[in-house]
Amino acid sequence: MDGKLHITVLGGIKLTGFDRLKVTLKIVCGGNTNRAFRHNLDLYNSVHTEQLIEKAGDALDVATAELAGVISRLTAALEDYRTERLEAMKPKQAEKKQLTEAERKTALQYLKAPGLLGRTRQAISASGIVGEEVNSLIAYLIYTSRKRNTPLHLMCLGPSGTGKTWLQERVSELIPEEDKLEITMLSMNAFYYFGKDELKNKLLLIEDMDGADNVLYPLRNCKASAGSARPSP
């Protein structure tokens, strides 16, 4: 660093705990690796920093004023690095797909034409779902209610092997990927990990509700359409 001092942060830095910046430094002066100074400290602790500057200055024969400036710039650089890494680790919001004017016109024509339910049922069958005309139509209508202020919820009950999960998965394939979230099981605190509007107008697919009685109340109150499949008691 600065063409004279080379500082290596051994073991990296922790990305959590903004009240501290603990590091292990290896300081080399003039490229002489045989004369390296190593020190573990918290850069936010003024006593630690003063001790580092004094001891490293004596060991490497470097002016304390010069070393203090280098450590100050190093601290600022590590703060910037930590902030950048945390920003990079944040989950990316899925880009919301916008219909073109032609697609919007075609969709409105389809929705306004007579026999919408019948045509929708035919379209679902054409997607490859056979033998579940009524149930697949009900599931699809409930899934599309995610766009309403009071979405509907669906729970599929029945013995194992009767096709509950299969039906849920196949109908959900008709919903845009950016509009749905699939969960195998729900824990008691699951909904505390979502942002305020993260589930708004989303289709929440839950494979198994067993043991998730505590999440039923927040599930009923969130503005998301939910579909779940589980075996009967």
Side-chain angles (χ1 to χ4, degrees):
M1 184 172 285
D2 288 350
K4 185 177 182 181
L5 292 175
H6 180 81
I7 302 179
T8 303
V9 181
L10 302 174
I13 62 172
K14 288 186 177 181
L15 299 180
T16 55
F18 283 94
D19 60 333
R20 64 187 70 88
L21 188 56
K22 290 185 176 181
V23 293
T24 298
L25 301 180
K26 176 183 177 182
I27 307 176
V28 176
C29 181
N32 185 4
T33 56
N34 294 323
R35 193 183 177 192
F37 179 82
R38 298 171 180 81
H39 194 71
N40 180 279
L41 78 158
D42 179 358
L43 289 171
Y44 287 169
N45 187 308
S46 60
V47 175
H48 289 185
T49 306
E50 289 172 1
Q51 290 176 347
L52 167 70
I53 293 171
E54 181 179 349
K55 292 181 179 180
D58 290 341
L60 301 174
D61 194 21
V62 178
T64 55
E66 180 183 356
L67 192 54
V70 171
I71 296 301
S72 177
R73 291 191 291 277
L74 172 66
T75 303
L78 291 177
E79 288 175 335
D80 291 342
Y81 169 79
R82 182 163 62 179
T83 300
E84 290 173 1
R85 290 288 297 128
L86 288 172
E87 287 294 325
M89 292 172 62
K90 286 183 178 180
K92 305 297 182 184
Q93 292 290 337
E95 184 177 349
K96 190 174 182 180
K97 184 178 179 180
Q98 297 291 336
L99 295 177
T100 64
E101 189 59 33
E103 290 173 333
R104 181 178 177 82
K105 184 178 180 180
T106 301
L108 288 174
Q109 289 176 345
Y110 184 91
L111 293 171
K112 291 179 179 180
L116 177 59
L117 281 181
R119 288 184 290 107
T120 300
R121 185 164 56 186
Q122 292 174 0
I124 293 173
S125 298
S127 72
I129 303 176
V130 180
E132 291 281 1
E133 291 187 358
V134 175
N135 288 336
S136 60
L137 179 60
I138 291 174
Y140 182 77
L141 293 177
I142 291 175
Y143 290 177
T144 57
S145 74
R146 70 188 186 280
K147 296 295 187 180
R148 302 178 62 87
N149 289 329
T150 53
L152 301 174
H153 307 289
L154 171 68
M155 181 177 290
C156 300
L157 298 174
S160 299
T162 55
K164 302 180 305 300
T165 301
W166 177 86
L167 180 65
Q168 173 174 288
E169 290 177 348
R170 292 306 305 274
V171 177
S172 69
E173 291 174 358
L174 306 176
I175 306 299
E177 289 295 327
E178 64 271 17
D179 277 7
K180 62 185 177 183
L181 177 64
E182 299 184 48
I183 298 176
T184 303
M185 294 184 68
L186 276 175
S187 65
M188 180 177 177
N189 298 317
F191 287 100
Y192 292 105
Y193 296 101
F194 293 104
K196 181 180 178 182
D197 296 321
E198 196 171 347
L199 295 178
K200 186 175 182 180
N201 302 130
K202 295 282 188 180
L203 171 61
L204 183 60
L205 297 163
I206 308 166
E207 183 176 333
D208 191 353
M209 287 292 291
D210 287 342
D213 295 342
N214 291 321
V215 302
L216 292 179
Y217 178 76
L219 183 61
R220 288 196 299 268
N221 285 275
C222 73
K223 292 187 177 181
S225 177
S228 64
R230 68 170 183 175
S232 61

